[in-house]
Amino acid sequence: MNVGELLAATVPMAKTLNLQFLETTPERAVVRLPDQPDYHNHVGGPHAGAMFTLAESASGAIVLAAFGDQLSRAVPLAVKAEIAYRKLAKGVVTATATLGRPAADVVAELDAGGRPEFPVTIAIQREDEAVTGEMTVVWTLRPNA
């Protein structure tokens, strides 16, 4: 089972929103939110909360793909998130996440006894590729006690 399949099967919100994990590598994660009227807002597009969950899920997918081999000694935790809604989203939307810091640098800081923090940037796009939102989630690898 790859990271995307694992998240789709075990994370209740991902399952509820029917998120589709299209790509989950240490370099990039791509997650799709299908167009579902049950999760629309007052203007007929995906609700802001659904788009937040989509983007946060993409960030979690790349974190697990990049640092899954560190789980025996550290727990990945989201520290903070900021989202900007840029354009009206309609239909299917896709979130693409990228690490904002080289994974090797994060692991080196963990090796040195630190609790590294690193940003993950996410672009949310409609099917016409217009960016409807941008999000940054700052993650940490908290060493196990």
Side-chain angles (χ1 to χ4, degrees):
M1 187 177 283
N2 67 35
V3 170
E5 292 167 340
L6 176 69
L7 290 172
T10 61
V11 177
M13 278 304 294
K15 206 170 183 179
T16 296
L17 290 175
N18 301 305
L19 297 182
Q20 301 163 347
F21 292 82
L22 306 179
E23 180 181 340
T24 51
T25 70
E27 292 77 36
R28 190 169 99 130
V30 181
V31 183
R32 178 185 298 143
L33 173 65
D35 186 21
Q36 301 167 91
D38 285 347
Y39 304 113
H40 281 179
N41 59 20
H42 61 289
V43 292
H47 187 276
M51 291 198 333
F52 184 98
T53 300
L54 167 69
E56 195 276 339
S57 297
S59 78
I62 197 170
V63 167
L64 285 177
F67 303 108
D69 61 342
Q70 303 300 316
L71 294 179
S72 64
R73 66 183 188 138
V75 176
L77 298 169
V79 174
K80 64 181 174 179
E82 184 174 335
I83 191 165
Y85 301 101
R86 303 282 182 211
K87 292 184 178 185
L88 182 61
K90 290 270 194 165
V92 174
V93 289
T94 303
T96 303
T98 55
L99 286 177
R101 189 173 163 202
D105 292 354
V106 174
V107 173
E109 188 175 336
L110 185 64
D111 289 343
R115 181 177 170 164
E117 289 190 359
F118 53 95
V120 175
T121 58
I122 307 100
I124 305 168
Q125 295 178 284
R126 299 185 304 225
E127 286 186 296
D128 67 1
E129 298 186 8
V131 175
T132 63
E134 296 170 317
M135 185 172 177
T136 300
V137 180
V138 176
W139 287 82
T140 189
L141 294 180
R142 184 190 75 197
N144 295 336

